[in-house]
Structures are given as structure tokens and as C-alpha cells.
Amino acid sequence: MQTGQPSTTAEIVAFFRALETIRPGDRLFEDPFAAHFLRPWLRIIVRGSVLPLIGALLLRWIDRRWPGARTSAIARTRLIDDWVNESVAGDPQQVLILGAGFDSRAWRLPALRKVAVFEIDHPATAAEKRRRLAALGIERANVRFVPVGFGRDAAPQALARSGFDPTKPVVVIWEGVTNYLSGEAVDATLRWIGSLATGTRLIFTYVHEGVLTDPSAFEGAAQILVAVSSTGEPWTFGLRPEALARYLEARGLKLLADLGAKDYRARYMGEPAKRMRGYEFYRVALAELLGPRNPDGRSVQAEHPVDGPDLRRPQQPGVRHRHGVQRPLQVLAPKREEFLQHRKLRPDVVLLPNIGLQQPRVIRPAVEDPGGGEPIALKLAAKILRDHRCPLRPR
């Protein structure tokens, strides 16, 4: 996003929600606030789309220009709504929306009216959102805006000042954000979420990493990448769906569901969804916390210090590798053979690559392979080295 300006992509998604809200027939949801987040000329288009012919032509034009973007956005909105309602029914008293943009769930979902909702976002977007809500005369005593500059420790400190309690369960919504961040930022945020209280759930979106490395493999992906780059908000991060469960487990989270655009369009749009194409690379996942807990209910993250959310967007794209890595990996070892065979390394320490971390990660492989072989951490380290063909440097 441009300095001092609200997010353009957040406005586009609000535009899609506004079009769905006035669409005749069986709507997936109603968002009466979405149109108020739009610039005047976009509001005029929304009002004009009420006319059947104009509305049909507009939707057809959008779907041809950006294949699958609109249908994916509205179907995923409904999916996340349902998951939020289900998760709040489990009795958490807090909802945290990371990179809230022009999200209006705190105002339009009845289930959130008695829950403390914390919206964290860049100050420019948060200020514009508050201004437009104030013009409508809409206030919610349970909604707390937390504008932060997205430094590593800024978010936890600002949340604490706003009354957020990390020792109580929370439903975290992280929609439409990870694909704009760096691997380091996503890693730090997930580890922080994984350190919260038992009962915490995370709902987040991500893009298939393949769309960044080979857009031709996905219909309409090239147009989408050009469109988001032209707004100054290029996509910089992705994940492999087949590796997601393990990726989350390493950060204290258990994957419960992972749906692509084809799946959630079919769930909510029925037979017409079979004819929809595009945006198959966009996915929504649901996760919950796992692992041992301290007496206060917070997660134990013994292997790596838990940083706060780091939502900074990268200044420039790094080198992409598997698992969302944004720079070339490095392994600390005298020689490749010594690392793989771990002959001359200390037997109680393994040095892993820089997978999105500021420093090489040190793991103490206390867990032995049930088969009596090498410690699991040693096998994992060797596999990562082989997969990435990592450059080496002296210890």
C-alpha cells in the first residue's frame, strides 16, 4: 500500500461485498456497510448495478477481466463468516482481526455484538475506516481499533494497551493479508498466535505458492498478479497446501480445514460454481492451538522465542523457495558431509537453516525416532538441506 493511503485491495474487496449485497435473488450475505468504504465513483457504480441489465453486464465484465476474483471473494467471505460464528459459539470472549482493512464483521455479525473485537491495521487504513464509520454515526462499544506501524513488537504492546488478554481464548481472523507479507512476517505472526491461550482459533487466507513461481499453471493468475502489482500491493508470499499442516504444527497450530476457491464456491454457490473458473490458487484455512501449555494456559514455545506479529510488507521481493522462504537459505556447518552425518557436531545440538527467521534456529533433538534411529530433528535438518540445496558457510 502507498504511504499514508488506505489499502486499495481492501477497497476492491469491499466493492465486491457491496455488489453481492444489492444483487437480486439469493445472496450469500448482506453487508450494508461495504458501500460506505468506497470512493464516490465506486458507490455510483454499485447503485447503478441495481438495474438488471447494468448489473449483469458489470458482473460479467469483472469476471472476464479478473477471472474468479469476485466469486472467490464473496464465497470466502461467507465461509469465514460461518467459521467465525461457529468459533464464537465455543465461548471465546475475544476476536482479533489482523490487517482488518474494511472488514465489517464486528458490525454485521450478530454473534460479535457482545464479544470484544480488536481490529489491528496500518494507521492510514484504520483512520480512514473510522472516519467513514463516524460519518454514518455508527459506534460499537465492543470494537477497539488498534493502529500500528507493523513493527515486530508494536502489535502486542498496542493490543495490551487496548485491553487484549493473551491468557484468554481468542478467534483470530487474518483474511487477505499473508500474500502481501514476507516469510519472516508470516512466521513471526503465526508463532505469536501459537503462543496464545488454549481454545484459540485462527482463520486465515493464503495463496498457493505456485502462483508466484508459475502463474501459467492457474487460469487468470497472470492478470491478477499484474492488477495487484499496479496498485502498489504485489503478492510476495505463498504456501504449498500439501505442506501446510506440518508448517503450522512447527508454529504451535493444528490444521482443521483447508479449502480452495473451487471448494468453497461449490459449497455456497451450488451448480453454477461448476462453470466458474479462476482463483483456484486462493485458499482459506482453519486452525487451532496444539502442544503443551503453561499453568496459565499459554502455549509453550521452547524451541524458538515468540515474537509478536510482524505485519511489515517486504521492501522488495526476496528469492522464493519452498515453505514461503523469502531469501536463500543458509546452513551453519563446516562441510556438507559433516552436517548430514553429524559426526563432528555436538550431539545435543542441530543447526537448522534460516527458514524465515532472523537467526539460524537451534533445536535440541530430545525426541528420539521410535524406530531407534537418529533423532527426528536430525532427519528433518538433513531433509531441509537436501530439498533446498542450501549454500553453506563456515560455523
Side-chain angles (χ1 to χ4, degrees):
M1 62 183 291
Q2 299 179 5
T3 304
Q5 298 294 322
S7 169
T8 300
T9 53
E11 187 176 32
I12 292 171
V13 175
F15 176 57
F16 291 159
R17 294 201 311 269
L19 291 175
E20 177 66 12
T21 298
I22 66 167
R23 183 176 63 84
D26 189 14
R27 309 181 189 96
L28 296 187
F29 56 84
E30 292 189 8
D31 185 349
F33 307 99
H36 298 285
F37 297 134
L38 306 178
R39 281 170 275 190
W41 65 272
L42 282 176
R43 289 200 295 268
I44 293 173
I45 292 176
V46 170
R47 288 196 293 268
S49 68
V50 174
L51 300 174
L53 179 59
I54 293 178
L57 290 174
L58 175 63
L59 297 185
R60 185 177 302 174
W61 181 83
I62 291 173
D63 294 343
R64 291 187 64 180
R65 184 173 179 83
W66 302 295
R70 181 188 64 86
T71 56
S72 170
I74 60 176
R76 88 175 190 229
T77 295
R78 172 60 185 274
L79 174 63
I80 294 174
D81 285 354
D82 288 349
W83 279 353
V84 169
N85 287 329
E86 172 192 326
S87 299
V88 170
D91 204 32
Q93 299 302 306
Q94 302 178 112
V95 170
L96 173 61
I97 306 178
L98 296 175
F102 293 139
D103 188 297
S104 61
R105 290 185 174 93
W107 291 268
R108 64 183 180 80
L109 293 185
L112 299 189
R113 290 177 182 170
K114 295 183 179 180
V115 177
V117 179
F118 298 86
E119 291 203 351
I120 189 167
D121 209 339
H122 189 279
T125 300
E128 182 64 16
K129 182 175 184 176
R130 296 191 73 172
R131 185 186 70 78
R132 299 188 191 190
L133 289 171
L136 294 174
I138 298 174
E139 293 185 2
R140 285 278 193 276
N142 63 312
V143 180
R144 300 159 197 189
F145 293 93
V146 188
V148 296
F150 296 165
R152 180 172 295 277
D153 297 316
Q157 295 170 359
L159 282 170
R161 291 192 297 269
S162 299
F164 178 79
D165 189 346
T167 67
K168 294 181 179 179
V170 57
V171 177
V172 182
I173 305 170
W174 203 15
E175 181 184 8
V177 180
T178 64
N179 42 302
Y180 298 100
L181 305 181
S182 66
E184 294 91 336
V186 174
D187 175 82
T189 303
L190 288 174
R191 290 184 185 279
W192 178 76
I193 294 170
S195 74
L196 298 176
T198 302
T200 290
R201 276 193 166 191
L202 167 65
I203 302 166
F204 73 102
T205 63
Y206 71 98
V207 298
H208 193 299
E209 187 191 57
V211 77
L212 303 177
T213 57
D214 184 15
S216 64
F218 300 91
E219 184 173 350
Q223 297 99 301
I224 298 298
L225 292 177
V226 169
V228 295
S229 295
S230 67
T231 68
E233 302 178 36
W235 290 354
T236 53
F237 177 84
L239 290 164
R240 294 276 175 181
E242 65 272 17
L244 182 61
R246 181 173 295 181
Y247 177 84
L248 291 175
E249 285 176 7
R251 290 149 183 82
L253 296 160
K254 176 183 178 182
L255 181 64
L256 299 178
D258 179 22
L259 303 180
K262 182 178 179 180
D263 304 313
Y264 51 77
R265 281 194 296 236
R267 174 179 292 194
Y268 295 108
M269 298 176 174
E271 191 66 24
K274 296 180 180 179
R275 300 187 294 273
M276 296 175 183
R277 298 289 184 272
Y279 244 65
E280 282 80 7
F281 51 80
Y282 209 97
R283 306 186 67 85
V284 186
L286 173 66
E288 66 181 6
L289 268 64
L290 55 74
R293 300 280 145 182
N294 287 316
D296 64 359
R298 301 186 69 185
S299 173
V300 176
Q301 296 282 327
E303 293 185 1
H304 184 269
V306 178
D307 296 313
D310 182 354
L311 305 184
R312 293 171 292 182
R313 299 187 179 184
Q315 296 299 312
Q316 51 184 302
V319 179
R320 297 188 184 92
H321 293 267
R322 292 176 59 193
H323 310 301
V325 177
Q326 289 292 119
R327 60 170 181 260
L329 297 177
Q330 291 183 324
V331 175
L332 303 185
K335 295 180 181 179
R336 180 185 179 90
E337 293 77 12
E338 290 182 29
F339 180 84
L340 290 175
Q341 298 174 10
H342 55 87
R343 300 297 187 192
K344 297 182 181 181
L345 294 176
R346 289 175 53 191
D348 62 333
V349 174
V350 176
L351 299 173
L352 287 184
N354 284 358
I355 302 184
L357 305 179
Q358 295 299 317
Q359 298 296 329
R361 182 178 177 189
V362 177
I363 288 186
R364 300 186 180 280
V367 180
E368 297 291 333
D369 189 325
E374 299 172 342
I376 292 173
L378 289 173
K379 289 186 175 182
L380 174 62
K383 182 180 185 303
I384 292 174
L385 182 64
R386 289 194 303 271
D387 288 348
H388 294 281
R389 297 181 176 86
C390 303
L392 304 180
R393 59 176 176 160
R395 289 180 64 186

